[in-house]
Short mmCIF file of all heavy atoms in Angstrom, two decimals:
data_model
loop_
_atom_site.label_atom_id
_atom_site.label_comp_id
_atom_site.label_asym_id
_atom_site.label_seq_id
_atom_site.Cartn_x
_atom_site.Cartn_y
_atom_site.Cartn_z
N ILE A 16 -9.10 6.30 17.71
CA ILE A 16 -9.29 5.71 16.40
C ILE A 16 -9.40 4.18 16.50
O ILE A 16 -10.17 3.60 15.79
CB ILE A 16 -8.12 6.10 15.46
CG1 ILE A 16 -8.21 7.57 15.11
CG2 ILE A 16 -8.15 5.24 14.18
CD1 ILE A 16 -7.13 8.08 14.20
N GLN A 17 -8.59 3.61 17.39
CA GLN A 17 -8.62 2.13 17.51
C GLN A 17 -10.02 1.63 17.90
O GLN A 17 -10.49 0.63 17.40
CB GLN A 17 -7.58 1.68 18.56
CG GLN A 17 -7.37 0.21 18.58
CD GLN A 17 -6.86 -0.34 17.26
OE1 GLN A 17 -6.07 0.32 16.55
NE2 GLN A 17 -7.25 -1.55 16.91
N ASP A 18 -10.69 2.38 18.79
CA ASP A 18 -12.07 1.96 19.19
C ASP A 18 -13.01 1.99 18.01
O ASP A 18 -13.84 1.11 17.86
CB ASP A 18 -12.57 2.90 20.30
CG ASP A 18 -11.89 2.71 21.62
OD1 ASP A 18 -11.23 1.67 21.81
OD2 ASP A 18 -11.97 3.63 22.46
N VAL A 19 -12.85 2.99 17.15
CA VAL A 19 -13.69 3.11 15.96
C VAL A 19 -13.41 1.94 15.00
O VAL A 19 -14.34 1.35 14.46
CB VAL A 19 -13.50 4.46 15.25
CG1 VAL A 19 -14.24 4.51 13.91
CG2 VAL A 19 -13.95 5.60 16.16
N MET A 20 -12.13 1.63 14.85
CA MET A 20 -11.81 0.51 13.93
C MET A 20 -12.35 -0.81 14.46
O MET A 20 -12.86 -1.63 13.69
CB MET A 20 -10.28 0.44 13.75
CG MET A 20 -9.77 1.60 12.91
SD MET A 20 -8.07 1.44 12.39
CE MET A 20 -8.11 0.01 11.38
N VAL A 21 -12.25 -1.04 15.76
CA VAL A 21 -12.80 -2.28 16.35
C VAL A 21 -14.33 -2.32 16.10
O VAL A 21 -14.86 -3.38 15.74
CB VAL A 21 -12.49 -2.36 17.85
CG1 VAL A 21 -13.27 -3.45 18.53
CG2 VAL A 21 -11.01 -2.55 18.07
N HIS A 22 -14.99 -1.20 16.25
CA HIS A 22 -16.43 -1.15 16.03
C HIS A 22 -16.76 -1.47 14.57
O HIS A 22 -17.70 -2.25 14.28
CB HIS A 22 -16.97 0.26 16.40
CG HIS A 22 -18.42 0.40 16.07
ND1 HIS A 22 -19.45 -0.16 16.80
CD2 HIS A 22 -19.03 1.10 15.07
CE1 HIS A 22 -20.59 0.16 16.26
NE2 HIS A 22 -20.38 0.95 15.22
N ILE A 23 -16.01 -0.89 13.64
CA ILE A 23 -16.24 -1.14 12.21
C ILE A 23 -15.97 -2.61 11.89
O ILE A 23 -16.75 -3.26 11.19
CB ILE A 23 -15.37 -0.22 11.35
CG1 ILE A 23 -15.85 1.24 11.50
CG2 ILE A 23 -15.37 -0.65 9.86
CD1 ILE A 23 -14.92 2.28 10.90
N GLU A 24 -14.87 -3.14 12.39
CA GLU A 24 -14.54 -4.55 12.15
C GLU A 24 -15.64 -5.46 12.62
O GLU A 24 -16.09 -6.38 11.93
CB GLU A 24 -13.21 -4.89 12.83
CG GLU A 24 -12.01 -4.23 12.25
CD GLU A 24 -10.80 -4.32 13.15
OE1 GLU A 24 -10.84 -4.90 14.25
OE2 GLU A 24 -9.76 -3.76 12.76
N GLN A 25 -16.13 -5.23 13.83
CA GLN A 25 -17.17 -6.07 14.42
C GLN A 25 -18.50 -5.92 13.64
O GLN A 25 -19.18 -6.89 13.38
CB GLN A 25 -17.39 -5.76 15.89
CG GLN A 25 -18.25 -6.79 16.60
CD GLN A 25 -17.65 -8.17 16.53
OE1 GLN A 25 -16.48 -8.37 16.86
NE2 GLN A 25 -18.41 -9.14 16.06
N SER A 26 -18.80 -4.70 13.28
CA SER A 26 -20.05 -4.45 12.50
C SER A 26 -20.01 -5.18 11.18
O SER A 26 -21.00 -5.78 10.73
CB SER A 26 -20.26 -2.96 12.26
OG SER A 26 -20.47 -2.31 13.48
N ALA A 27 -18.85 -5.14 10.51
CA ALA A 27 -18.73 -5.82 9.21
C ALA A 27 -18.86 -7.32 9.41
O ALA A 27 -19.55 -7.97 8.61
CB ALA A 27 -17.37 -5.47 8.56
N LYS A 28 -18.21 -7.88 10.43
CA LYS A 28 -18.30 -9.32 10.65
C LYS A 28 -19.74 -9.72 10.99
O LYS A 28 -20.24 -10.71 10.48
CB LYS A 28 -17.35 -9.71 11.78
CG LYS A 28 -15.91 -9.64 11.38
CD LYS A 28 -14.98 -9.89 12.56
CE LYS A 28 -13.56 -9.66 12.15
NZ LYS A 28 -12.62 -9.70 13.29
N ASP A 29 -20.41 -8.96 11.85
CA ASP A 29 -21.78 -9.26 12.24
C ASP A 29 -22.73 -9.20 11.06
O ASP A 29 -23.73 -9.91 11.01
CB ASP A 29 -22.25 -8.29 13.31
CG ASP A 29 -21.56 -8.50 14.66
OD1 ASP A 29 -20.86 -9.53 14.82
OD2 ASP A 29 -21.67 -7.56 15.51
N SER A 30 -22.44 -8.34 10.09
CA SER A 30 -23.32 -8.15 8.91
C SER A 30 -22.85 -8.97 7.72
O SER A 30 -23.46 -8.84 6.64
CB SER A 30 -23.34 -6.66 8.55
OG SER A 30 -23.79 -5.89 9.63
N ASP A 31 -21.81 -9.73 7.88
CA ASP A 31 -21.24 -10.53 6.78
C ASP A 31 -20.90 -9.65 5.58
O ASP A 31 -21.18 -9.99 4.44
CB ASP A 31 -22.22 -11.64 6.38
CG ASP A 31 -21.51 -12.76 5.60
OD1 ASP A 31 -20.32 -12.98 5.83
OD2 ASP A 31 -22.18 -13.39 4.75
N VAL A 32 -20.26 -8.50 5.88
CA VAL A 32 -19.84 -7.54 4.85
C VAL A 32 -18.30 -7.64 4.76
O VAL A 32 -17.60 -7.68 5.79
CB VAL A 32 -20.25 -6.13 5.26
CG1 VAL A 32 -19.59 -5.10 4.32
CG2 VAL A 32 -21.74 -5.98 5.27
N PRO A 33 -17.76 -7.73 3.54
CA PRO A 33 -16.29 -7.78 3.40
C PRO A 33 -15.66 -6.54 4.06
O PRO A 33 -16.20 -5.43 3.98
CB PRO A 33 -16.07 -7.74 1.89
CG PRO A 33 -17.34 -8.23 1.28
CD PRO A 33 -18.42 -7.74 2.23
N LEU A 34 -14.54 -6.75 4.67
CA LEU A 34 -13.84 -5.67 5.39
C LEU A 34 -12.57 -5.33 4.60
O LEU A 34 -11.75 -6.17 4.32
CB LEU A 34 -13.50 -6.20 6.78
CG LEU A 34 -12.93 -5.22 7.78
CD1 LEU A 34 -13.89 -4.06 8.01
CD2 LEU A 34 -12.67 -5.95 9.09
N GLY A 35 -12.42 -4.07 4.27
CA GLY A 35 -11.29 -3.63 3.46
C GLY A 35 -10.55 -2.48 4.13
O GLY A 35 -11.08 -1.72 4.95
N ILE A 36 -9.27 -2.34 3.72
CA ILE A 36 -8.43 -1.27 4.29
C ILE A 36 -7.21 -1.09 3.38
O ILE A 36 -6.80 -1.97 2.64
CB ILE A 36 -7.98 -1.64 5.73
CG1 ILE A 36 -7.41 -0.42 6.44
CG2 ILE A 36 -7.01 -2.81 5.70
CD1 ILE A 36 -7.29 -0.61 7.95
N TYR A 37 -6.66 0.12 3.44
CA TYR A 37 -5.35 0.38 2.81
C TYR A 37 -4.29 0.01 3.81
O TYR A 37 -4.39 0.38 5.00
CB TYR A 37 -5.21 1.88 2.45
CG TYR A 37 -5.92 2.26 1.18
CD1 TYR A 37 -7.23 2.63 1.17
CD2 TYR A 37 -5.24 2.24 -0.05
CE1 TYR A 37 -7.90 2.99 0.01
CE2 TYR A 37 -5.88 2.57 -1.23
CZ TYR A 37 -7.20 2.94 -1.18
OH TYR A 37 -7.83 3.29 -2.34
N ALA A 38 -3.27 -0.67 3.37
CA ALA A 38 -2.13 -1.04 4.23
C ALA A 38 -0.89 -0.42 3.61
O ALA A 38 -0.74 -0.34 2.39
CB ALA A 38 -1.98 -2.54 4.33
N SER A 39 0.02 0.02 4.45
CA SER A 39 1.19 0.76 3.97
C SER A 39 2.28 -0.16 3.41
O SER A 39 3.20 0.31 2.76
CB SER A 39 1.80 1.60 5.11
OG SER A 39 2.12 0.74 6.21
N SER A 40 2.16 -1.45 3.62
CA SER A 40 3.18 -2.40 3.12
C SER A 40 2.63 -3.78 3.07
O SER A 40 1.51 -4.04 3.58
CB SER A 40 4.40 -2.37 4.08
OG SER A 40 4.01 -2.92 5.33
N GLY A 41 3.38 -4.69 2.50
CA GLY A 41 2.99 -6.09 2.46
C GLY A 41 2.88 -6.69 3.87
O GLY A 41 1.98 -7.45 4.17
N ALA A 42 3.81 -6.31 4.74
CA ALA A 42 3.79 -6.80 6.15
C ALA A 42 2.53 -6.30 6.85
O ALA A 42 1.87 -7.07 7.55
CB ALA A 42 5.00 -6.33 6.86
N ALA A 43 2.16 -5.05 6.66
CA ALA A 43 0.96 -4.50 7.27
C ALA A 43 -0.29 -5.20 6.73
O ALA A 43 -1.23 -5.49 7.44
CB ALA A 43 0.88 -3.01 7.08
N ALA A 44 -0.28 -5.47 5.43
CA ALA A 44 -1.41 -6.17 4.80
C ALA A 44 -1.56 -7.58 5.39
O ALA A 44 -2.67 -8.05 5.64
CB ALA A 44 -1.21 -6.25 3.28
N GLY A 45 -0.43 -8.26 5.61
CA GLY A 45 -0.50 -9.60 6.23
C GLY A 45 -1.10 -9.54 7.60
O GLY A 45 -1.93 -10.41 7.95
N SER A 46 -0.77 -8.56 8.39
CA SER A 46 -1.36 -8.37 9.72
C SER A 46 -2.86 -8.20 9.60
O SER A 46 -3.63 -8.75 10.34
CB SER A 46 -0.73 -7.19 10.44
OG SER A 46 0.60 -7.43 10.71
N ARG A 47 -3.28 -7.34 8.66
CA ARG A 47 -4.69 -7.08 8.48
C ARG A 47 -5.46 -8.31 8.00
O ARG A 47 -6.61 -8.55 8.42
CB ARG A 47 -4.93 -5.90 7.52
CG ARG A 47 -4.39 -4.57 8.04
CD ARG A 47 -5.07 -4.19 9.33
NE ARG A 47 -4.64 -2.87 9.75
CZ ARG A 47 -5.04 -2.27 10.83
NH1 ARG A 47 -5.89 -2.88 11.65
NH2 ARG A 47 -4.65 -1.07 11.13
N LEU A 48 -4.83 -9.13 7.13
CA LEU A 48 -5.48 -10.36 6.74
C LEU A 48 -5.74 -11.27 7.94
O LEU A 48 -6.82 -11.85 8.06
CB LEU A 48 -4.60 -11.11 5.70
CG LEU A 48 -4.64 -10.63 4.27
CD1 LEU A 48 -3.56 -11.31 3.47
CD2 LEU A 48 -6.02 -10.86 3.68
N ARG A 49 -4.78 -11.35 8.83
CA ARG A 49 -4.95 -12.16 10.01
C ARG A 49 -6.01 -11.62 10.96
O ARG A 49 -6.60 -12.35 11.75
CB ARG A 49 -3.62 -12.33 10.74
CG ARG A 49 -2.62 -13.22 10.02
CD ARG A 49 -1.36 -13.51 10.79
NE ARG A 49 -0.51 -12.32 10.96
CZ ARG A 49 0.32 -11.87 10.02
NH1 ARG A 49 0.38 -12.47 8.83
NH2 ARG A 49 1.05 -10.81 10.25
N GLU A 50 -6.32 -10.31 10.86
CA GLU A 50 -7.37 -9.70 11.65
C GLU A 50 -8.73 -9.84 11.02
O GLU A 50 -9.72 -9.41 11.62
CB GLU A 50 -7.03 -8.21 11.87
CG GLU A 50 -5.79 -7.96 12.69
CD GLU A 50 -5.38 -6.50 12.69
OE1 GLU A 50 -6.13 -5.65 12.16
OE2 GLU A 50 -4.29 -6.24 13.19
N GLY A 51 -8.79 -10.43 9.83
CA GLY A 51 -10.09 -10.66 9.21
C GLY A 51 -10.41 -9.78 8.04
O GLY A 51 -11.48 -9.89 7.40
N TYR A 52 -9.51 -8.88 7.65
CA TYR A 52 -9.75 -8.03 6.48
C TYR A 52 -9.65 -8.92 5.23
O TYR A 52 -8.82 -9.83 5.16
CB TYR A 52 -8.73 -6.90 6.41
CG TYR A 52 -9.01 -5.81 7.42
CD1 TYR A 52 -8.60 -5.97 8.72
CD2 TYR A 52 -9.69 -4.67 7.05
CE1 TYR A 52 -8.85 -4.94 9.66
CE2 TYR A 52 -9.93 -3.66 7.95
CZ TYR A 52 -9.51 -3.83 9.28
OH TYR A 52 -9.79 -2.82 10.19
N THR A 53 -10.49 -8.65 4.25
CA THR A 53 -10.50 -9.45 3.03
C THR A 53 -10.19 -8.63 1.76
O THR A 53 -9.86 -9.19 0.73
CB THR A 53 -11.83 -10.19 2.83
OG1 THR A 53 -12.87 -9.21 2.83
CG2 THR A 53 -12.05 -11.18 3.94
N LEU A 54 -10.34 -7.31 1.85
CA LEU A 54 -10.06 -6.42 0.73
C LEU A 54 -8.91 -5.53 1.13
O LEU A 54 -9.02 -4.74 2.05
CB LEU A 54 -11.28 -5.56 0.37
CG LEU A 54 -12.55 -6.30 0.07
CD1 LEU A 54 -13.75 -5.32 -0.01
CD2 LEU A 54 -12.41 -7.06 -1.26
N LEU A 55 -7.78 -5.67 0.46
CA LEU A 55 -6.57 -4.95 0.88
C LEU A 55 -5.86 -4.28 -0.32
O LEU A 55 -5.82 -4.83 -1.39
CB LEU A 55 -5.56 -5.88 1.53
CG LEU A 55 -6.04 -6.47 2.83
CD1 LEU A 55 -5.46 -7.83 3.05
CD2 LEU A 55 -5.67 -5.54 3.95
N VAL A 56 -5.34 -3.11 -0.06
CA VAL A 56 -4.40 -2.45 -0.97
C VAL A 56 -3.11 -2.39 -0.17
O VAL A 56 -3.06 -1.80 0.90
CB VAL A 56 -4.86 -1.04 -1.38
CG1 VAL A 56 -3.82 -0.34 -2.22
CG2 VAL A 56 -6.21 -1.11 -2.13
N ALA A 57 -2.07 -3.04 -0.68
CA ALA A 57 -0.82 -3.22 0.08
C ALA A 57 0.22 -2.20 -0.28
O ALA A 57 1.39 -2.51 -0.43
CB ALA A 57 -0.31 -4.62 -0.10
N ALA A 58 -0.19 -0.96 -0.45
CA ALA A 58 0.77 0.14 -0.74
C ALA A 58 0.04 1.44 -0.63
O ALA A 58 -1.18 1.47 -0.70
CB ALA A 58 1.36 -0.01 -2.14
N SER A 59 0.77 2.49 -0.44
CA SER A 59 0.14 3.81 -0.43
C SER A 59 0.49 4.52 -1.71
O SER A 59 1.43 4.19 -2.40
CB SER A 59 0.67 4.63 0.75
OG SER A 59 2.04 4.93 0.59
N ASP A 60 -0.34 5.53 -2.04
CA ASP A 60 -0.09 6.26 -3.26
C ASP A 60 1.29 6.92 -3.24
O ASP A 60 2.04 6.87 -4.25
CB ASP A 60 -1.12 7.39 -3.44
CG ASP A 60 -2.51 6.82 -3.70
OD1 ASP A 60 -2.63 5.63 -4.04
OD2 ASP A 60 -3.48 7.58 -3.55
N ILE A 61 1.68 7.50 -2.11
CA ILE A 61 2.99 8.14 -2.00
C ILE A 61 4.10 7.12 -2.20
O ILE A 61 5.07 7.38 -2.87
CB ILE A 61 3.10 8.85 -0.63
CG1 ILE A 61 2.15 10.03 -0.57
CG2 ILE A 61 4.56 9.30 -0.39
CD1 ILE A 61 2.40 11.14 -1.57
N GLU A 62 3.96 5.97 -1.58
CA GLU A 62 4.97 4.92 -1.69
C GLU A 62 5.11 4.50 -3.16
O GLU A 62 6.22 4.38 -3.69
CB GLU A 62 4.58 3.69 -0.85
CG GLU A 62 5.52 2.52 -0.97
CD GLU A 62 6.87 2.77 -0.33
OE1 GLU A 62 6.98 3.57 0.59
OE2 GLU A 62 7.85 2.15 -0.78
N CYS A 63 4.02 4.28 -3.85
CA CYS A 63 4.07 3.88 -5.25
C CYS A 63 4.68 4.96 -6.12
O CYS A 63 5.52 4.69 -7.00
CB CYS A 63 2.68 3.56 -5.76
SG CYS A 63 2.01 2.04 -5.08
N LEU A 64 4.28 6.20 -5.91
CA LEU A 64 4.82 7.31 -6.70
C LEU A 64 6.32 7.48 -6.48
O LEU A 64 7.08 7.66 -7.41
CB LEU A 64 4.07 8.59 -6.39
CG LEU A 64 2.65 8.68 -6.94
CD1 LEU A 64 1.96 9.90 -6.39
CD2 LEU A 64 2.68 8.71 -8.45
N SER A 65 6.74 7.50 -5.23
CA SER A 65 8.15 7.70 -4.92
C SER A 65 9.01 6.55 -5.44
O SER A 65 10.08 6.76 -5.97
CB SER A 65 8.40 7.95 -3.44
OG SER A 65 8.09 6.80 -2.70
N SER A 66 8.49 5.32 -5.32
CA SER A 66 9.24 4.19 -5.82
C SER A 66 9.34 4.24 -7.35
O SER A 66 10.42 3.98 -7.90
CB SER A 66 8.52 2.88 -5.39
OG SER A 66 9.18 1.77 -5.94
N SER A 67 8.27 4.56 -8.02
CA SER A 67 8.27 4.69 -9.45
C SER A 67 9.20 5.79 -9.92
O SER A 67 9.97 5.60 -10.88
CB SER A 67 6.87 4.94 -9.98
OG SER A 67 6.87 5.10 -11.36
N ALA A 68 9.16 6.92 -9.27
CA ALA A 68 10.02 8.04 -9.64
C ALA A 68 11.50 7.67 -9.45
O ALA A 68 12.31 7.94 -10.34
CB ALA A 68 9.68 9.27 -8.78
N ALA A 69 11.82 7.00 -8.36
CA ALA A 69 13.21 6.58 -8.13
C ALA A 69 13.64 5.60 -9.18
O ALA A 69 14.76 5.70 -9.71
CB ALA A 69 13.33 6.01 -6.71
N ASP A 70 12.83 4.64 -9.50
CA ASP A 70 13.16 3.65 -10.52
C ASP A 70 13.38 4.30 -11.89
O ASP A 70 14.33 3.98 -12.60
CB ASP A 70 12.06 2.56 -10.68
CG ASP A 70 12.00 1.61 -9.49
OD1 ASP A 70 12.93 1.62 -8.68
OD2 ASP A 70 10.98 0.90 -9.37
N ASN A 71 12.51 5.25 -12.24
CA ASN A 71 12.63 5.90 -13.50
C ASN A 71 13.90 6.79 -13.57
O ASN A 71 14.58 6.85 -14.60
CB ASN A 71 11.39 6.76 -13.80
CG ASN A 71 10.25 5.90 -14.29
OD1 ASN A 71 10.43 5.02 -15.09
ND2 ASN A 71 9.06 6.13 -13.76
N LEU A 72 14.22 7.46 -12.49
CA LEU A 72 15.46 8.24 -12.44
C LEU A 72 16.68 7.35 -12.56
O LEU A 72 17.62 7.68 -13.31
CB LEU A 72 15.53 9.05 -11.16
CG LEU A 72 14.66 10.30 -11.14
CD1 LEU A 72 14.68 10.92 -9.71
CD2 LEU A 72 15.13 11.34 -12.14
N ASP A 73 16.69 6.25 -11.87
CA ASP A 73 17.81 5.28 -11.96
C ASP A 73 17.95 4.80 -13.38
O ASP A 73 19.06 4.71 -13.94
CB ASP A 73 17.61 4.10 -11.01
CG ASP A 73 17.82 4.47 -9.57
OD1 ASP A 73 18.40 5.55 -9.31
OD2 ASP A 73 17.39 3.67 -8.73
N ARG A 74 16.83 4.47 -14.00
CA ARG A 74 16.86 3.96 -15.39
C ARG A 74 17.38 5.06 -16.34
O ARG A 74 18.23 4.80 -17.19
CB ARG A 74 15.44 3.53 -15.81
CG ARG A 74 15.42 2.76 -17.11
CD ARG A 74 14.08 2.16 -17.41
NE ARG A 74 13.57 1.35 -16.32
CZ ARG A 74 12.44 1.61 -15.66
NH1 ARG A 74 11.70 2.64 -15.95
NH2 ARG A 74 12.06 0.81 -14.71
N ALA A 75 16.93 6.28 -16.16
CA ALA A 75 17.38 7.37 -17.02
C ALA A 75 18.88 7.62 -16.84
O ALA A 75 19.57 7.83 -17.83
CB ALA A 75 16.58 8.65 -16.70
N ARG A 76 19.33 7.58 -15.63
CA ARG A 76 20.74 7.82 -15.38
C ARG A 76 21.62 6.70 -15.96
O ARG A 76 22.70 6.97 -16.49
CB ARG A 76 21.01 7.95 -13.88
CG ARG A 76 20.48 9.24 -13.32
CD ARG A 76 20.73 9.29 -11.81
NE ARG A 76 20.20 10.54 -11.26
CZ ARG A 76 19.43 10.62 -10.17
NH1 ARG A 76 19.19 9.53 -9.47
NH2 ARG A 76 18.99 11.76 -9.76
N SER A 77 21.15 5.47 -15.90
CA SER A 77 21.96 4.36 -16.40
C SER A 77 21.97 4.30 -17.95
O SER A 77 22.86 3.75 -18.53
CB SER A 77 21.46 3.03 -15.87
OG SER A 77 20.19 2.71 -16.38
N GLU A 78 20.98 4.91 -18.57
CA GLU A 78 20.87 4.91 -20.04
C GLU A 78 21.40 6.16 -20.66
O GLU A 78 21.35 6.33 -21.88
CB GLU A 78 19.45 4.67 -20.46
CG GLU A 78 18.93 3.29 -20.03
CD GLU A 78 17.46 3.08 -20.35
OE1 GLU A 78 16.84 3.95 -20.99
OE2 GLU A 78 16.92 2.04 -19.93
N THR A 79 21.87 7.10 -19.88
CA THR A 79 22.37 8.38 -20.37
C THR A 79 23.69 8.14 -21.15
O THR A 79 24.61 7.52 -20.67
CB THR A 79 22.62 9.37 -19.23
OG1 THR A 79 21.38 9.54 -18.56
CG2 THR A 79 23.12 10.68 -19.75
N ARG A 80 23.73 8.66 -22.32
CA ARG A 80 24.97 8.60 -23.14
C ARG A 80 25.73 9.89 -22.94
O ARG A 80 25.17 10.98 -22.86
CB ARG A 80 24.63 8.44 -24.62
CG ARG A 80 23.93 7.15 -24.89
CD ARG A 80 23.67 7.04 -26.35
NE ARG A 80 22.90 5.82 -26.59
CZ ARG A 80 22.39 5.49 -27.73
NH1 ARG A 80 22.49 6.31 -28.78
NH2 ARG A 80 21.68 4.40 -27.88
N HIS A 81 27.02 9.77 -22.86
CA HIS A 81 27.86 10.98 -22.70
C HIS A 81 28.40 11.36 -24.04
O HIS A 81 29.08 10.61 -24.75
CB HIS A 81 28.98 10.64 -21.70
CG HIS A 81 28.48 10.27 -20.35
ND1 HIS A 81 28.04 11.23 -19.47
CD2 HIS A 81 28.31 9.09 -19.77
CE1 HIS A 81 27.65 10.64 -18.36
NE2 HIS A 81 27.79 9.34 -18.53
N TYR A 82 28.05 12.56 -24.46
CA TYR A 82 28.46 13.10 -25.76
C TYR A 82 29.55 14.14 -25.54
O TYR A 82 29.57 14.85 -24.57
CB TYR A 82 27.27 13.75 -26.49
CG TYR A 82 26.21 12.76 -26.83
CD1 TYR A 82 25.07 12.64 -26.06
CD2 TYR A 82 26.37 11.94 -27.97
CE1 TYR A 82 24.07 11.71 -26.38
CE2 TYR A 82 25.36 11.00 -28.28
CZ TYR A 82 24.25 10.92 -27.50
OH TYR A 82 23.29 9.99 -27.80
N ARG A 83 30.41 14.26 -26.55
CA ARG A 83 31.47 15.25 -26.48
C ARG A 83 31.17 16.37 -27.43
O ARG A 83 30.55 16.34 -28.36
CB ARG A 83 32.83 14.67 -26.90
CG ARG A 83 33.28 13.69 -25.86
CD ARG A 83 34.61 13.16 -26.30
NE ARG A 83 34.96 12.09 -25.39
CZ ARG A 83 36.18 11.74 -25.16
NH1 ARG A 83 37.17 12.35 -25.70
NH2 ARG A 83 36.41 10.75 -24.35
#
């Protein structure tokens, strides 16, 4: 896979085409920026969904009223 990515990166640079990629985190996105990528998504769908679900559950639990 790495060889294919190097080929794609070089082809994009040679053709003056913006290079984009999904990155799994902000740190990974920073690495890709330094490698010449210009279009980045700094999260994965699963990461966003799980983070949102956890936040919503925490919010629901903290706002729960206890009735007798």
Side-chain angles (χ1 to χ4, degrees):
I16 290 179
Q17 191 62 33
D18 290 342
V19 172
M20 290 190 62
V21 169
H22 175 74
I23 291 169
E24 292 166 1
Q25 192 60 51
S26 295
K28 289 174 187 172
D29 292 347
S30 302
D31 199 30
V32 171
L34 188 58
I36 195 166
Y37 280 88
S39 59
S40 67
S46 294
R47 295 299 186 181
L48 281 171
R49 289 186 291 280
E50 293 171 9
Y52 286 81
T53 56
L54 304 169
L55 294 150
V56 175
S59 67
D60 293 344
I61 294 296
E62 177 70 27
C63 290
L64 288 171
S65 65
S66 176
S67 177
D70 289 347
N71 283 316
L72 282 172
D73 288 344
R74 191 172 306 118
R76 289 179 181 134
S77 69
E78 295 176 6
T79 301
R80 295 181 185 173
H81 297 282
Y82 295 100
R83 292 182 188 206

